[in-house]
Amino acid sequence: MSPAGETESTPPRTNAPAHGASKIESTPNSRGASVVSENIGVLGVKVKNVGPWIQRDIEQVKECKADAMLQALLQRASSAPETEQPELLQKCLKAVLPVCNGQASTALVKSSDIETALNEYVCPGVENNFYGPFIRATNVALACLEEIKIDGMRAPVPTVDMICQQNDMPMHQMHQTKKSIRKPDLVILPLNSACAPFQDETGNKKGKQTNKQKGTQKNDEKDDEQRKKKRKAHMDTNATAKPKKLPWKDVLACIEFKRKIAGRTKGIKSPSSTYTVTDHVPTKPEYLPVDHLKAQVPAPGPSHTPATQPASDTALVQSSGLTTAQHSKGGSSSKRKAADTLESTAKKSKMDTNDMDADADADLDVTVQTGLYAAEMFAANLGVNYLLNMIVVDDVMWIWYYDRQGIVQCSGINFIQDLPRFMVLLYALQRFELHDWGRNKDFLPIEVEGKLCHEFKIDDENLGEVDLLLHTSHDERVTHYGLQGRATNVVPVTSEVLTKKYGKFEDGMVAKIFWGEASRTSEPEILKKVEEIAKRHATVQDHVPHLLWHHTFTNPTAAIREALGVPEPTTGSRVLYILVFRKLLPIAQLHGKELFDVWRQCISCHLTLWKEGVHHRDVSPGNLMWYWKDDKRIGVLNDYDLSSLADDSGPRGNERTGTVPFMALDLLTEEGQRGEVKHLYRHDLESFIWCFAWISLRYENGVLLSRRLRPLDEWATLGAVACGEKKYHFQGNVKPPARSHIDSSLWAFLVGCFDVLETHTFNRRKQLIRSIIDADQPTTSEESESDFDGFLQSFENTKGWAALSKLLPESSQ
């Protein structure tokens, strides 16, 4: 976890191992939003600029057939979700035909209105004109589908009572100190959440809900009748209006629309007069890759950059060896062309000048836009298991499924010509409890002293019931922004049971909640090994995090992929962990000799752990922490969720290890990014040097400098290879930045360290050249303990290191 206010790396493109490579030696395959810092403050840019990270994840989308997705959703909404019912889809397709054919009705609506709305939908016009007809068709369908009973399926969920609502208004959300502004076209909401913004405008209390009356069946029926009337009133008036201040935490799904060419409907057929159950007919395109919907105009020549492509991302593409014409699974890596004819002008023309962030989203590809909405939905609720969004282009809909393993989209459904499948989708979703929408039912929202918290209670075989009160509204909560990866949240926590067991910590406790890869050795297992080492070595004792309690949830993300028939469903599968530690302080708060002292303690701990077989492999400022003990700062090497054990056959899992601005130069080469360079001890020690430089040059007395005064920002906006080139130049041409605040002794120390790094690099290169000339086999990449000690000693022998060491108390030397 990196310190708030910092930046990390723009995501590298997807890279595969070199041909013939038998295994990945270091940095694995995954390249996407997971490389963004585990807290939004690390971005150091406005949240509107995270599109490139989101696009990298979208480009790795997996695919499944529409019927497989519908079957899986029906299974989830069935009366026996754990019992496979393969016939559900066909049963439901037959059962919804009366609604499709205008033969169903309720006391308040009739299904023939669906055809009327769809006939309006296919008429020419700009994108915004189609929201209303789609909303009316959807909500009328939901009202009629509520009456249909199918054997094996649950009843509708009145406590959710999903409804389709127009949005098309900027939605705001704070991510620590950063504010995001997004503007989804339509949203799926619980009815009470849809009504609340409009109740505000009429003077009613926001979010006030009528408690269900206890007692007779007559009262239940009366409540149900009142609910349906309330729903009908909202459908007739506000469902197609624009809500103000709609919170992301209430959104169940987003629906984003695009028209291929504004004002034209070529190829959109009117609804059928009669529907029957048919096989799914593939759409064109069957799947929706990034930038499929671009203008049919010649692409810019190799010397031109599309107007909408940031220069830094161009450098990223060039540095990673990919061209904008290359495709990855499920998508294209090309950028959206300026001449794109997808209709978005109407959105721009009505945009409030105060909401330019949302306006900028309108230029993104629809798949990226929708991915950004998913990122907002993940961030709005704690421990979200998965999300669903929909993309509608003309008369074709694609269902997108997001979880921390990645993204799956189903093949397109022509929701006008294949209306039964659209009705089945609505039928399934209408029967979703909140946890079926992906909400984590183990974290219960609760208000404490006027602030939103989450309560978590679970039985422990040793402690009995463990109670955790997660202070999720606390200013010190560290949040994650993105689609896939670990998605770490660090939240202040209180617990009566844990306080009784361990006593009260001066700085309190924190809970770390993250999605770890199932194939990796878990962080609790690694920390158990670390604790054993700490008992034998003073350099480790007190210098590693003390795990107070942990729990692993039994809901692997691979299960849905197995159900959908996605290839290699278990690759990168993730499970949710919650770990409780004592609170630690970030090293970036320190400067001068205090910074050097804590930093050196972390190096000593790291070296001992490496010799004992625990390889950290992700040294970054956010993983270097400290606390007070007996009036002395104690350095802590933190975060072992990407660590490995020496007795593992090789790096397990599919997630990148290392944070680009702090990674060793060897690992920032094309070979390193393909995973062909073995991660060695010297790479981690080199990361320690880059961390010290980063903190010393960018912070003054523990405070992050303003953007115009701090150097090295570019390292965090380039791809891995380009960043490596910049760092190589910096290492060989070290000089203090203009107007630098850095102390001369610290600068002398850094110059000495970079001189050592350059000398070692030169010697290795010379040795390689000699082996080529002499036709010898290249030297092995294995290291011995003497190599570890020798490499560290070469830094300790510098004058700068010795000078700083003399400034420390004798107890620290």
Side-chain angles (χ1 to χ4, degrees), residues 112-131:
S112 57
D113 291 339
I114 298 173
E115 182 181 3
T116 303
L118 292 180
N119 275 315
E120 184 180 345
Y121 181 89
V122 302
C123 294
V126 295
E127 178 191 310
N128 303 56
N129 293 349
F130 301 99
Y131 302 160

Side-chain angles (χ1 to χ4, degrees), residues 5-20:
E6 274 296 2
T7 59
E8 286 196 9
S9 61
T10 296
R13 300 276 178 178
T14 304
N15 294 308
H19 296 295

Side-chain angles (χ1 to χ4, degrees), residues 173-430:
Q173 185 166 210
M174 292 302 299
H175 307 274
Q176 292 177 194
T177 60
K178 307 292 181 181
K179 182 171 78 169
S180 64
I181 306 175
R182 309 284 175 217
K183 192 182 179 189
D185 296 334
L186 274 57
V187 290
I188 300 295
L189 297 166
L191 177 61
N192 284 327
S193 299
C195 294
F198 301 100
Q199 291 171 343
D200 278 349
E201 295 174 3
T202 58
N204 293 327
K205 291 183 179 180
K206 181 177 180 180
K208 184 178 180 181
Q209 300 183 20
T210 302
N211 291 326
K212 186 174 180 180
Q213 299 179 39
K214 297 180 180 179
T216 64
Q217 180 180 357
K218 185 176 181 180
N219 284 333
D220 292 340
E221 292 173 354
K222 184 177 180 180
D223 287 346
D224 191 54
E225 183 181 346
Q226 290 176 342
R227 176 186 63 82
K228 290 179 179 178
K229 287 182 178 179
K230 178 182 178 181
R231 180 186 184 86
K232 180 64 165 60
H234 187 78
M235 287 168 53
D236 292 343
T237 54
N238 291 329
T240 52
K242 297 181 179 181
K244 293 182 180 179
K245 298 182 179 178
L246 185 65
W248 276 107
K249 68 179 179 62
D250 292 344
V251 175
L252 301 175
C254 295
I255 307 175
E256 191 69 7
F257 283 77
K258 283 292 178 284
R259 285 278 167 161
K260 288 181 182 177
I261 302 178
R264 301 184 187 178
T265 56
K266 183 178 180 181
I268 301 182
K269 298 180 181 179
S270 298
S272 174
S273 58
T274 304
Y275 291 95
T276 58
V277 176
T278 61
D279 291 337
H280 175 258
V281 177
T283 57
K284 294 183 179 180
E286 186 172 8
Y287 299 96
L288 191 63
V290 177
D291 286 347
H292 173 81
L293 302 168
K294 58 190 177 185
Q296 299 301 312
V297 295
S303 62
H304 296 85
T305 300
T308 58
Q309 179 166 326
S312 63
D313 203 56
T314 305
L316 182 153
V317 176
Q318 293 170 346
S319 70
S320 62
L322 296 179
T323 68
T324 55
Q326 287 178 292
H327 291 250
S328 60
K329 173 70 175 174
S332 163
S333 61
S334 63
K335 285 287 181 183
R336 180 88 168 263
K337 304 301 183 290
D340 196 321
T341 57
L342 279 178
E343 194 280 316
S344 61
T345 306
K347 280 189 173 184
K348 290 184 178 183
S349 64
K350 61 182 179 169
M351 179 63 66
D352 190 306
T353 55
N354 293 323
D355 292 307
M356 297 307 293
D357 287 2
D359 188 31
D361 280 357
D363 288 330
L364 297 172
D365 185 78
V366 63
T367 59
V368 180
Q369 279 182 277
T370 312
L372 285 165
Y373 305 152
E376 297 290 343
M377 294 159 69
F378 272 129
N381 293 281
L382 187 66
V384 175
N385 292 308
Y386 50 81
L387 297 169
L388 291 172
N389 280 333
M390 276 76 83
I391 296 174
V392 176
V393 179
D394 293 339
D395 53 353
V396 179
M397 169 183 286
W398 289 267
I399 305 167
W400 286 62
Y401 180 100
Y402 308 83
D403 64 21
R404 296 308 187 174
Q405 184 175 344
I407 307 165
V408 181
Q409 66 158 317
C410 76
S411 54
I413 300 172
N414 189 312
F415 66 92
I416 295 179
Q417 301 308 310
D418 197 350
L419 187 59
R421 280 179 169 76
F422 181 41
M423 293 297 105
V424 166
L425 170 64
L426 296 178
Y427 186 87
L429 298 180
Q430 189 180 50

Side-chain angles (χ1 to χ4, degrees), residues 434-453:
L434 275 177
H435 66 267
D436 295 313
W437 287 101
R439 299 289 196 270
N440 196 314
K441 60 183 177 181
D442 292 304
F443 299 114
L444 302 176
I446 183 175
E447 192 171 288
V448 178
E449 297 179 352
K451 291 189 175 182
L452 178 66
C453 298

